[in-house]
Amino acid sequence: MIQAALSHLANQLNAYLKRTNNLTEDIVVVSSLIESDGSAAPHTNNKLVLLLTNIEKDTVPQSVTSRASGFDGRALVGSRSVHLNLSVILAANFSGSNYAEALKFISKAIAFFQMQPVFDKHSSPDLDSRIDKLVLDIENLNIQDLSNLWGLLGGKYLPSVYYRVRMVTINPDNVLAQVPLATRPQSDVRS
């Protein structure tokens, strides 16, 4: 589910950047910047890199138990949905002489997500069916938090923007119970 959300955002941004810059290959990748051995991830050079930095449960929406009708007139009761907030960084990983390109592409990415901060079934029909909608908000980090974050990521600062992606919904597919549907009692009123 999380992979589907980040891939969708990367695909949408890639389509926009290809269209507006006459690019033939993807420039946005979903990846970490550093391999597990500490070396730079090779497929991220001269790319915009979308990487996940945190997952939080969104406590604002009131999750209700989901219900659907079964074949025999019973209601199928499923698990509660989980609403998540994903913290992601979009970093321009362009080397020295391409620094101007880094600034150009990070600016265009910010403009794109400012023009389209919400991805739902209406605006984005190819959104994964398990996701209700994605809402992007830029989050501000002070210099100390930014320094700590880049230290945790194992890299040096790159031109980047920090987003909170709200309302990623994970709907479990399992059925917990089958319960009879309540029916309205019929009154026998005779005149």
Side-chain angles (χ1 to χ4, degrees):
M1 173 68 62
I2 294 168
Q3 181 273 337
L6 294 183
S7 290
H8 185 80
L9 295 175
N11 291 339
Q12 294 296 309
L13 182 55
N14 265 320
Y16 170 76
L17 292 173
K18 283 179 176 179
R19 191 173 56 249
T20 58
N21 294 285
N22 295 323
L23 300 174
T24 57
E25 66 179 52
D26 288 347
I27 195 161
V28 183
V29 295
V30 177
S31 175
S32 64
L33 289 165
I34 306 294
E35 297 287 339
S36 59
D37 65 1
S39 64
H43 61 283
T44 62
N45 194 32
N46 293 322
K47 302 282 186 185
L48 288 175
V49 182
L50 187 64
L51 64 134
L52 180 68
T53 60
N54 195 25
I55 303 169
E56 296 174 343
K57 179 181 177 184
D58 190 345
T59 57
V60 174
Q62 298 298 318
S63 295
V64 295
T65 304
S66 61
R67 289 179 177 248
S69 294
F71 295 113
D72 59 356
R74 293 176 166 254
L76 305 176
V77 180
S79 301
R80 292 178 182 237
S81 297
V82 176
H83 301 283
L84 300 175
N85 291 326
L86 306 178
S87 299
V88 298
I89 289 181
L90 183 64
N93 189 26
F94 290 75
S95 55
S97 62
N98 289 332
Y99 190 73
E101 289 293 296
L103 299 179
K104 176 179 97 172
F105 281 113
I106 198 77
S107 296
K108 288 184 177 206
I110 292 168
F112 172 71
F113 288 131
Q114 190 65 26
M115 287 185 301
Q116 185 171 351
V118 177
F119 297 87
D120 58 17
K121 305 288 190 246
H122 177 70
S123 67
S124 198
D126 57 338
L127 184 64
D128 189 293
S129 62
R130 300 168 296 170
I131 301 172
D132 293 331
K133 68 179 170 179
L134 302 172
V135 180
L136 280 81
D137 294 316
I138 292 178
E139 293 286 317
N140 294 321
L141 296 178
N142 65 45
I143 198 72
Q144 184 62 47
D145 291 339
L146 192 61
S147 175
N148 291 341
L149 181 60
W150 279 99
L152 286 172
L153 295 174
K156 296 185 187 236
Y157 177 79
L158 296 171
S160 58
V161 60
Y162 188 71
Y163 283 101
R164 177 153 318 221
V165 181
R166 299 183 187 280
M167 296 300 295
V168 173
T169 304
I170 297 178
N171 293 313
D173 293 332
N174 59 335
V175 174
L176 297 177
Q178 290 187 21
V179 294
L181 291 173
T183 58
R184 181 178 239 169
Q186 295 183 0
S187 61
D188 188 14
V189 180
R190 296 184 183 172
S191 336

